[in-house]
């Protein structure tokens, strides 16, 4: 599992020390600066919402769709008219904005590792970019187990997380080496770094197995954003791939403002012609080079459940035999 350290003090003005958890960032910096319309606009070019999630829910009505870590509800709002949608989050700021928005999504405050719903009630459980912000791996597994608990026997967990692409792994290794050299020359680094986890296919399988879930299918996507994000890892890549004139012109704007005003993905994440060619080539021949996101669906591991039940039954019979003797 690839970890990536992010210096949030360089992104959020006013953040001067490492936060205790993502909760602190979300309430005070992330959701406080956005509104629901901007959050919905963000997803018009997102391959998870416009592609993967849309295909899963297509042709169906009346399903119970539960999103764990819904934020401002951008994933659920487009589908709330045809389905019963519940959004859980720990951010009172985000949920307050979602409640004031005219939407049929039901927002609820909860810890997503302990969801106040009955066992086996949900047709779909959505985990969209919430796993990778938790630094505790055991807590990530707890979230997946809770998603499994509320899932119907034939239901699906739909996950999207940042992907540990070849580009991320290479440049992350280079950055770690550079950081070590800098620490030798200039000790006492800024402590505002937050750990994010970029999952590979194998990492995701291990986490799902620990949670009693079985991978059904997976897909790499958001390659344009992935190529653009690689330009932040390496200045040479930035010169070669980015439309730098447009990049520096929009960089002065708030991120969500430029997303809202953009007419297409290249307005929000500007690449030059060479960068766009790389996106096409990577998308067709080598998506693992630069894909930003890994989408997947998973179901309950019923085989594992049967094995577990037979094991418990065997242990019970052994105990009964001992008691009889």
């Amino acid at each position: 599992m690839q970890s990536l350290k992010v210096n949030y003090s360089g992104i959020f003005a006013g953040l001067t020390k490492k936060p205790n958890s993502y909760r602190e960032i979300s309430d005070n910096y992330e959701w406080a600066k956005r509104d629901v319309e901007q959050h919905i606009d963000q997803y018009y070019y997102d391959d998870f919402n416009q592609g993967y999630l849309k295909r899963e829910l297509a042709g169906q009505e009346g399903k119970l769709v539960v999103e764990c870590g819904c934020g401002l509800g951008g994933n659920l709002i487009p589908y709330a008219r045809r389905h019963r949608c519940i959004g859980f989050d720990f951010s009172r700021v985000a949920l307050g904005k979602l409640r004031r928005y005219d939407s049929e999504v039901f927002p609820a405050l909860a810890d997503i590792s302990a969801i106040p719903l009955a066992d086996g009630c949900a047709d779909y459980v959505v985990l969209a970019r919430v796993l990778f912000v938790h630094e505790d791996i055991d807590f990530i597994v707890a979230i997946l187990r809770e998603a499994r608990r509320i899932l119907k026997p034939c239901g699906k967990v739909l996950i999207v997380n940042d992907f540990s692409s070849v580009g991320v792994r290479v440049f992350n290794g280079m950055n770690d080496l550079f950081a070590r050299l800098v620490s030798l020359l200039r000790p006492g680094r800024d402590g505002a770094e937050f750990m994010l986890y970029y999952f590979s296919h194998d990492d995701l399988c291990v986490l799902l197995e620990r949670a009693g879930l079985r991978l059904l299918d997976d897909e790499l996507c958001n390659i344009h954003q992935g190529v653009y994000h690689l330009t932040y890892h390496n200045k040479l890549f930035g010169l070669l791939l980015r439309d730098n004139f447009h990049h520096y012109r929009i960089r002065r704007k708030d991120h969500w403002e430029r997303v809202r005003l953009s007419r297409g993905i290249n307005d929000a994440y500007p690449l030059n012609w060479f960068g766009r060619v790389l996106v096409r080539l990577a998308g067709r021949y080598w998506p693992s080079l630069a894909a930003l996101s890994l989408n997947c669906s998973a179901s309950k591991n019923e085989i594992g459940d049967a094995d577990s039940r037979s094991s418990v039954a065997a242990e019970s019979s052994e105990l009964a035999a001992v008691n009889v003797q």
Side-chain angles (χ1 to χ4, degrees):
M1 187 174 299
Q2 188 79 5
S3 61
L4 187 69
K5 291 183 178 180
V6 176
N7 188 339
Y8 273 109
S9 64
I11 301 174
F12 299 113
L15 185 66
T16 57
K17 64 178 183 178
K18 177 176 166 39
N20 293 325
S21 70
Y22 188 73
R23 184 190 302 258
E24 182 181 337
I25 296 174
S26 66
D27 265 346
N28 298 312
Y29 300 97
E30 192 116 36
W31 303 127
K33 294 188 175 184
R34 306 187 206 173
D35 59 39
V36 177
E37 286 84 0
Q38 288 174 335
H39 201 50
I40 296 171
D41 287 343
Q42 173 201 1
Y43 291 110
Y44 80 90
Y45 52 67
D46 180 75
D47 290 342
F48 173 74
N49 189 291
Q50 294 299 318
Y52 201 75
L53 187 58
K54 198 171 187 177
R55 289 197 305 271
E56 284 289 346
L57 298 179
Q60 303 184 71
E61 288 190 9
K63 299 295 184 181
L64 178 58
V65 183
V66 177
E67 182 171 13
C68 302
C70 67
L72 296 175
N75 281 313
L76 295 178
I77 288 172
Y79 309 102
R81 289 186 178 178
R82 292 187 292 110
H83 301 281
R84 295 175 296 152
C85 295
I86 302 176
F88 289 105
D89 206 285
F90 56 47
S91 173
R92 295 179 184 274
V93 175
L95 294 175
K97 290 183 177 183
L98 181 55
R99 286 191 184 98
R100 291 190 293 272
Y101 186 76
D102 185 17
S103 165
E104 296 179 46
V105 175
F106 179 78
L109 184 71
D111 179 344
I112 59 173
S113 65
I115 300 169
L117 288 178
D119 295 358
C121 65
D123 295 287
Y124 293 96
V125 179
V126 179
L127 294 166
R129 299 181 180 87
V130 296
L131 299 180
F132 78 132
V133 299
H134 297 286
E135 297 187 86
D136 186 345
I137 297 296
D138 290 333
F139 188 71
I140 292 175
V141 174
I143 294 172
L144 289 169
R145 284 176 177 159
E146 190 66 357
R148 181 192 181 285
R149 180 188 67 79
I150 67 171
L151 194 67
K152 287 182 177 179
C154 57
K156 289 183 179 181
V157 180
L158 306 178
I159 301 170
V160 57
N161 197 80
D162 279 13
F163 174 63
S164 178
S165 66
V166 174
V168 166
R169 291 198 300 272
V170 169
F171 289 127
N172 200 13
M174 293 170 59
N175 289 341
D176 286 343
L177 179 60
F178 180 73
R180 290 173 188 170
L181 294 174
V182 170
S183 65
L184 292 175
L185 298 173
R186 192 180 63 185
R189 297 178 65 199
D190 172 349
E193 290 188 339
F194 196 85
M195 187 82 75
L196 301 179
Y197 286 113
Y198 283 45
F199 297 162
S200 68
H201 173 272
D202 291 341
D203 296 330
L204 198 58
C205 287
V206 170
L207 291 171
L208 291 173
E209 185 178 359
R210 286 181 61 185
L213 292 165
R214 176 171 55 92
L215 182 69
L216 296 176
D217 62 70
D218 64 332
E219 154 185 311
L220 295 175
C221 67
N222 291 328
I223 294 175
H224 186 111
Q225 295 98 308
V227 171
Y228 183 76
H229 285 190
L230 287 180
T231 67
Y232 286 106
H233 288 265
N234 186 277
K235 290 184 178 180
L236 179 59
F237 253 55
L239 291 172
L240 291 176
L241 302 176
R242 214 163 42 198
D243 180 346
N244 285 289
F245 175 78
H246 185 39
H247 168 79
Y248 288 110
R249 184 162 58 86
I250 67 171
R251 192 176 178 185
R252 293 190 295 270
K253 296 180 181 179
D254 174 80
H255 171 77
W256 297 105
E257 180 66 12
R258 71 174 186 253
V259 167
R260 186 176 68 84
L261 295 174
S262 63
R263 292 168 298 175
I265 188 170
N266 208 54
D267 284 343
Y269 300 101
L271 295 172
N272 59 25
W273 68 270
F274 186 53
R276 295 197 295 274
V277 167
L278 180 60
V279 169
R280 287 182 175 273
L281 292 175
R284 185 166 184 177
Y285 300 109
W286 194 15
S288 62
L289 171 68
L292 179 68
S293 305
L294 173 62
N295 302 333
C296 82
S297 65
S299 65
K300 288 187 174 182
N301 191 350
E302 301 296 351
I303 297 175
D305 291 348
D307 292 343
S308 176
R309 286 192 294 268
S310 62
S311 175
V312 170
E315 290 177 6
S316 300
S317 62
E318 288 176 9
L319 288 173
V322 170
N323 291 333
V324 168
Q325 291 175 356

